[in-house]
Amino acid sequence: KVDKSLISIFNQNDQKSYLFDANPVFAENDEVAGFLLVFSNIENQNIKATQKSLNDKRFNTFVQQANVGIIIFHGIDMVVDLVNETYAKIVGYTVEELMGNRFFDVIPDAETAFRPLLSNVLKTGEPLYMYETPFVISVKGQHVDGYVDLVYQPARDLNDEIIGITAFIVDVTDKVVASKKIEEASNQLHFAIDAAELATWDYYPSSGKFSGNARLKEWFGLDANEEINLNEAIAAIAERDRERVSDAKFRTLQSDS
């Protein structure tokens, strides 16, 4: 059984040119049993065209199988030359709805925010990196929003002229939403601690680091920027309570606590 090509290289001497393909041959147990080597004699004038066809095919396969969203725009009209399923799902459209169309004709809601950015990449040739960027679009009457990491890279032809843009996109909505929830919960906790005038402390057994908030340090007669030594902190506790605090700390560190 011949699987997909592993390598394809051109070897050209003074007289002839060859296209060389190496393909793995698998046994019935799916282990590689050998290789099928194919040499094809091709005309010199067809070398570049054949090589370009092979390269385009491999590139298209790479784009379609990528785990990140990829889209390629052509010209100032931002016509979609290539787009993968990952990108289409992020923006709420199908590959077929995007391919061959002017991007902002399909997604007009994105034009105000993103056309100036794309136009600047075309004009300057400078790539653009954007992280945790919010977006809001309307897809077939449905509201779609989220956060994405974006890279806009100028696409150049063989003469190094800018002919379009390759965009890479990663949906980070879940990460950003989770981060915001953690931040919100942390702010609420700090508000409650301050409102109740509570002293708090953290202890990391692996490193032995012990730290407390400003109120705890104030109780121990320390400045806000001074560190608290755990042993000294326990020693400062009244003797009648010291053993109880030490026992509570020990129990907390047990896996079944």
Side-chain angles (χ1 to χ4, degrees), residues 87-231:
Y87 186 97
K89 285 182 178 179
I90 292 174
V91 298
Y93 287 86
T94 66
V95 170
E96 292 74 20
E97 289 171 325
L98 292 167
M99 277 292 294
N101 293 312
R102 291 183 293 189
F103 182 74
F104 295 115
D105 286 351
V106 181
I107 312 179
D109 294 348
E111 184 165 13
T112 300
F114 290 96
R115 182 181 281 278
L117 302 176
L118 293 168
S119 296
N120 190 62
V121 173
L122 284 175
K123 179 180 178 181
T124 65
E126 294 292 329
L128 178 64
Y129 304 89
M130 302 171 64
Y131 302 102
E132 298 184 359
T133 305
F135 72 91
V136 181
I137 57 176
S138 177
V139 180
K140 304 169 187 175
Q142 301 264 335
H143 178 80
V144 177
D145 62 358
Y147 296 86
V148 291
D149 288 347
L150 291 166
V151 177
Y152 291 135
Q153 188 79 30
R156 301 176 183 271
D157 61 16
L158 296 177
N159 297 318
D160 206 34
E161 296 291 331
I162 299 173
I163 58 173
I165 294 173
T166 302
F168 302 87
I169 180 173
V170 179
D171 188 346
V172 293
T173 302
D174 291 343
K175 184 188 78 171
V176 174
V177 170
S179 177
K180 288 182 178 294
K181 286 182 178 179
I182 293 173
E183 183 180 0
E184 181 180 350
S186 177
N187 291 337
Q188 291 177 349
L189 176 61
H190 283 100
F191 176 79
I193 290 172
D194 291 340
E197 298 184 351
L198 297 175
T200 63
W201 55 271
D202 298 300
Y203 175 60
Y204 302 90
S206 59
S207 63
K209 182 180 180 181
F210 177 77
S211 61
N213 66 355
R215 184 163 287 110
L216 181 66
K217 293 179 180 180
E218 180 183 345
W219 289 358
F220 280 89
L222 301 173
D223 292 333
N225 60 350
E226 289 187 78
E227 295 296 329
I228 302 175
N229 181 280
L230 178 59
N231 293 329

Side-chain angles (χ1 to χ4, degrees), residues 10 12 15-17 42-51:
F10 286 86
Q12 184 178 7
Q15 297 179 354
K16 296 181 179 180
S17 299
I42 57 177
E43 297 296 333
N44 290 341
Q45 61 267 28
N46 292 330
I47 292 176
K48 290 185 177 180
T50 305
Q51 187 174 27

Side-chain angles (χ1 to χ4, degrees), residues 1 25-33:
K1 177 184 177 182
V25 177
F26 294 92
E28 292 183 358
N29 61 0
D30 288 333
E31 292 185 357
V32 177

